[in-house]
Amino acid sequence: MSPTEASDAPDRPDLAAVRAYLLDLQDRISVAIEAADGAARFREDVWERPEGGGGRTRVLAQGALFEKAGIAFSDVTGETLPPAATQAHPEVAGRSFEALGVSLVFHPRNPYVPTTHANVRFFLAEKAGEAPVWWFGGGFDLTPYYPFLDDARAWHRAARAICEPFGADIYPRLKRWCDEYFHLKHRGETRGVGGLFFDDLDAGGFSRSFAFQRAVGDGFLAAYLPIVERRRDHPWAEREREFQLHRRGRYVEFNLLFDRGTLFGIQSHGRTESILMSLPPRVAWAYDWRPEPGTPEAELLDYLRPRDWLAEEAAETAGKPSEVART
């Protein structure tokens, strides 16, 4: 997957279509999350960026199900790209740019309901007299605190189903990319159980690439909400809450140290409140804290590494030895 010049593609990028899709996606997910929560509503802020463009940020706070849920649409433009973009793509240096996307992070109140993140985005860089350079990116991932094997497998079955119409090799590649990207190098662990991640998407031209982005965006709720419904009424107490706050610290560390979207937003002088909406409302750090061996908290560590969840499931179905975890 690499940036594509429109002159080499069978069709040219349609910014209006991408923008319309992303705004509609934000609306549809907002409605579904308010319905799932059942108590709180999203607050909406429409903002403008002095250097060009703006966005629409929605945050739901202190709901019955979600302690904090944020979903933001942004469409920013500029004449100078920040280092976060040109370092990875020197070919776009000196071009004007437009970057559109929808990004969301949901932090449930119940520690047995996993946090999730999803993002779909489009980038266009132009220069007079030259063909525009463009690409898609995005994906989704799941961050459980108390993991369930059934949930991890269902999440990855949904991810594979999204990818299958586009080629048998897509899911394994994007699953591996997700494991590598959402990796806390300083902790030696993944952020959660992974999912899909892609950037610089060129899948046979604009129309096909856009179709894949839509499949990922449209498939997110179908992957996440069934897990929420299975776990939302699971009883919990202060022990689970404290562990949730501890693990949220890892989420903050990743977003501030490694997340490309955060770096791009800050370096491009985006709206700080919207960029940092992904952070949880409460978090805790304890010096050198380690879970007791054999506890449910210690069990999480076996999930925080790259695992082929669907191969394990297939082996188990075939009657072969497989790893055992809570269901």
Side-chain angles (χ1 to χ4, degrees), residues 17-57:
V18 174
R19 187 181 299 109
Y21 169 74
L22 293 173
L23 286 167
D24 178 66
L25 180 67
Q26 185 191 35
D27 286 341
R28 287 186 283 123
I29 294 178
S30 299
V31 169
I33 292 303
E34 286 185 346
D37 186 89
R41 303 292 299 272
F42 281 98
R43 164 188 167 178
E44 178 177 284
D45 292 322
V46 177
W47 51 274
E48 293 184 359
R49 176 174 171 270
E51 292 88 345
R56 188 172 73 176
T57 299

Side-chain angles (χ1 to χ4, degrees), residues 104-248:
L104 64 85
V105 178
F106 300 153
H107 292 289
R109 186 180 301 278
N110 187 328
Y112 287 95
V113 180
T115 283
T116 191
H117 155 264
N119 172 264
V120 283
R121 59 189 180 273
F122 179 71
F123 183 88
L124 175 69
E126 297 183 285
K127 187 175 183 179
E130 298 184 17
V133 176
W134 57 266
W135 62 82
F136 288 94
F140 52 62
D141 65 290
L142 194 71
T143 306
Y145 306 99
Y146 288 89
F148 294 84
L149 187 59
D150 285 352
D151 294 348
R153 289 175 173 176
W155 181 253
H156 281 274
R157 282 196 302 270
R160 182 177 61 187
I162 288 168
C163 296
E164 280 178 338
F166 298 88
D169 64 321
I170 301 299
Y171 165 74
R173 185 152 38 112
L174 302 195
K175 186 266 184 195
R176 182 171 58 253
W177 201 346
C178 188
D179 289 337
E180 294 171 353
Y181 179 72
F182 291 106
H183 179 256
L184 284 80
K185 303 174 183 65
H186 61 298
R187 297 287 189 180
E189 62 189 37
T190 56
R191 188 167 80 174
V193 298
L196 302 174
F197 180 83
F198 63 96
D199 207 356
D200 309 338
L201 175 61
D202 167 19
F206 174 81
S207 294
R208 184 171 174 80
S209 299
F210 187 24
F212 182 73
Q213 186 202 55
R214 296 197 306 272
V216 172
D218 295 344
F220 165 72
L221 284 176
Y224 182 58
L225 288 182
I227 296 173
V228 171
E229 291 305 313
R230 282 198 294 272
R231 309 303 170 194
R232 64 182 298 162
D233 295 324
H234 197 294
W236 57 278
E238 189 61 24
R239 173 194 177 111
E240 289 87 350
R241 174 62 164 171
E242 288 301 316
F243 185 62
Q244 179 194 50
L245 298 182
H246 165 71
R247 291 303 311 179
R248 280 179 174 177

Side-chain angles (χ1 to χ4, degrees), residues 265-281:
I266 295 295
Q267 292 176 359
S268 62
H269 306 110
R271 182 174 184 260
T272 302
E273 287 299 314
S274 298
I275 297 165
L276 299 182
M277 71 161 194
S278 62
L279 300 182

